[in-house]
Amino acid sequence: VFQSLGVLTICMRDMFVKNINSWAVVMSIVILGFGLAFLALAPSYPNGDTSCAGTDSSSGALVSAECPRRFATSPFFIPIWAVFGDFDIPALEQARPLAPAVFLVALLVVAQVLLLNLLIAMMTETYTNVMSAALTEWKYDHMLLVDHYKTMVTATPPPLNLA
């Protein structure tokens, strides 16, 4: 309805359809590749310690119970957590001394620096292209909306226009 919001909506729609979808495919391939590398480099990550040791709230005694194995603790999920900033280098180095840490740094450089800058550049280009023609497109969409409501309105009130 508002011109400025209409133009921004068109811009966001094009960014999502054109940029984020193609970037997500590339990012998924990178994460999948690094996930498979971490499966080979750190098969014992985490240490395999799945016990939940805690204290009983009523007696204060030490209680050890079996924890269910969490879904995303496999070495395959290390790149996914690393993209969000959650990684544990000492736990990785227990499997092998240096290789997992080097791969983690490579992943962070590729995913955080290279691919995010690529996404920003793609979105900047889309914003520039859309803003040049967005006003015309918004006017056309607005005209279609007005025409739709113009043809939809009849002289009879809603209960009587069901024919």
Side-chain angles (χ1 to χ4, degrees):
V1 174
F2 296 110
Q3 178 180 347
S4 60
L5 292 178
V7 171
L8 288 177
T9 304
I10 292 168
C11 187
M12 288 183 348
R13 179 195 65 205
D14 284 355
M15 283 182 185
F16 185 75
V17 170
K18 294 176 184 175
N19 301 135
I20 293 180
N21 288 339
S22 59
W23 177 82
V25 169
V26 173
M27 187 68 157
S28 298
I29 292 170
V30 168
I31 286 177
L32 177 70
F34 276 98
L36 293 174
F38 279 114
L39 271 175
L41 289 174
S44 63
Y45 177 87
N47 302 333
D49 184 18
T50 59
S51 65
C52 292
T55 57
D56 186 13
S57 59
S58 60
S59 66
L62 186 64
V63 177
S64 178
E66 285 295 318
C67 290
R69 183 160 172 84
R70 289 187 0 197
F71 171 69
T73 57
S74 157
F76 182 75
F77 294 102
I78 293 171
I80 295 171
W81 293 117
V83 166
F84 294 112
D86 184 22
F87 46 86
D88 188 14
I89 293 177
L92 277 174
E93 289 180 340
Q94 287 179 356
R96 289 198 178 151
L98 185 62
V102 170
F103 266 81
L104 184 64
V105 169
L107 167 71
L108 293 176
V109 167
V110 169
Q112 301 279 336
V113 176
L114 186 71
L115 289 178
L116 284 178
N117 281 330
L118 176 68
L119 179 64
I120 291 168
M122 289 167 51
M123 285 185 167
T124 302
E125 181 184 2
T126 299
Y127 180 80
T128 304
N129 293 339
V130 166
M131 291 309 270
S132 63
L135 183 60
T136 306
E137 188 174 345
W138 176 81
K139 286 179 181 178
Y140 178 72
D141 287 343
H142 187 69
M143 187 270 314
L144 288 177
L145 183 68
V146 168
D147 186 53
H148 171 72
Y149 282 112
K150 184 184 130 205
T151 58
M152 196 173 94
V153 174
T154 62
T156 57
L160 301 174
N161 66 355
L162 295 176

